[in-house]
Amino acid sequence: MTKTIVRPYGDTTGDGMVQVSFTLPVPRDKRAEGAAIQLANRMGIEPAMLVHAKQMGDGFTFFVVYGRVNHLVDLSAVQVVERDFPLLSAKEVNAVVKRRLRRKLAVVGACIGTDAHTVGIDAILNVKGIAGEKGLEYYRELSVTNLGAQVSVPELVEAARVARADAVLVSQVVTQRDAHLHNTREMSAAFREAMPAGRRPLLIVGGPRFDESQATELGVDRIFGRGTTPGEVASYLVHALITGRKAKVA
């Protein structure tokens, strides 16, 4: 029988050992180290060992603490967003789009707000792709527009309108003060205001700090987390826009 209750693993199985890192707004000295241990104790790490401390500019210190926790994880209570669509090859994606849609599937991608980190959106859209898997520009039945970085929400909406986009892909890496959440809500609200439901493109966001279960809360159709491949996104587009009968007629 598969275990449903597990504990962290450090040196030996089930010993409960964990390692955490954090920064405190204090200069590095003995008092700062004591503060780091106190914080770790209050987090339930006890005994806590300070294994690394480094001054990070004026008045800040970065710490790494190692120690034991008594917390357990109940795997049966873990809730995740499972993939609910089949993975297709590039050849299969092209075939379905050509046969069922009978025109190219239009995709517009961008990093919005002040986000200038295009690595994520480029990995999904550019031909070179990621990890040996080619991006959506490689798919001959997809028409891809990559707007790049620091695109305003009004610019994105207009570009999607001009391209008659079936899907809009947005990558968000900047997360300070939950900027990725605010930007996503602003984007979804702008599309709802600018386009009627029947003509609104599929809204997809991705980034390392998103919770995939927040799609409905943020007003988007899908959230992809770290490690997502171009093939997964292409397969989802086919599932949501064609087999799900959301595609606009030509």
Side-chain angles (χ1 to χ4, degrees):
M1 181 179 295
T2 303
K3 284 186 177 180
T4 59
I5 304 296
V6 296
R7 298 183 67 180
Y9 170 91
D11 300 316
T12 59
T13 303
D15 61 10
M17 301 299 283
V18 298
Q19 180 171 291
V20 298
S21 61
F22 51 85
T23 300
L24 291 178
V26 292
R28 183 186 176 186
D29 56 20
K30 287 292 186 180
R31 184 179 296 274
E33 294 180 0
I37 294 296
Q38 182 185 107
L39 176 61
N41 291 159
R42 292 188 176 185
M43 292 166 62
I45 303 174
E46 194 168 357
M49 295 175 284
L50 182 63
V51 297
H52 178 74
K54 183 177 181 180
Q55 185 87 14
M56 302 292 290
D58 185 23
F60 292 88
T61 305
F62 174 76
F63 299 97
V64 178
V65 175
Y66 185 69
R68 179 179 292 107
V69 296
N70 293 316
H71 307 298
L72 304 176
V73 177
D74 183 356
L75 298 179
S76 66
V78 175
Q79 297 182 349
V80 297
V81 177
E82 299 283 1
R83 176 169 56 82
D84 55 358
F85 55 90
L87 286 178
L88 305 176
S89 67
K91 183 177 180 180
E92 290 170 326
V93 168
N94 287 327
V96 172
V97 174
K98 186 174 183 178
R99 183 178 70 252
R100 298 281 300 274
L101 198 57
R102 292 182 291 182
R103 61 170 175 79
K104 289 193 174 183
L105 191 156
V107 178
V108 173
C111 298
I112 59 176
T114 60
D115 202 321
H117 300 77
T118 62
V119 174
I121 197 70
D122 288 344
I124 299 299
L125 298 184
N126 287 0
V127 172
K128 63 181 180 181
I130 187 173
E133 190 173 308
K134 294 185 182 297
L136 301 191
E137 290 178 349
Y138 171 76
Y139 293 67
R140 66 174 182 273
E141 297 301 327
L142 271 59
S143 173
V144 176
T145 302
N146 187 347
L147 300 177
Q150 297 182 322
V151 177
S152 71
V153 169
E155 288 172 336
L156 178 62
V157 172
E158 181 58 24
R161 192 197 310 275
V162 170
R164 299 188 66 185
D166 296 290
V168 170
L169 276 57
V170 166
S171 174
Q172 292 282 264
V173 175
V174 175
T175 60
Q176 284 87 344
R177 298 184 180 180
D178 288 336
H180 59 308
L181 303 181
H182 299 312
N183 290 341
T184 300
R185 291 190 179 99
E186 179 186 353
M187 176 193 67
S188 61
F191 273 99
R192 286 196 302 271
E193 182 178 343
M195 301 179 184
R199 298 187 63 82
R200 195 177 307 143
L202 203 68
L203 299 180
I204 302 168
V205 297
R209 289 282 299 277
F210 280 106
D211 180 343
E212 295 181 1
S213 66
Q214 288 184 303
T216 300
E217 175 188 337
L218 296 178
V220 297
D221 296 283
R222 189 82 180 194
I223 295 175
F224 284 106
R226 62 170 59 87
T228 299
T229 66
E232 288 180 86
V233 176
S235 298
Y236 172 71
L237 294 178
V238 167
H239 169 77
L241 292 168
I242 299 178
T243 62
R245 301 179 184 274
K246 291 186 178 181
K248 302 187 291 291
V249 296

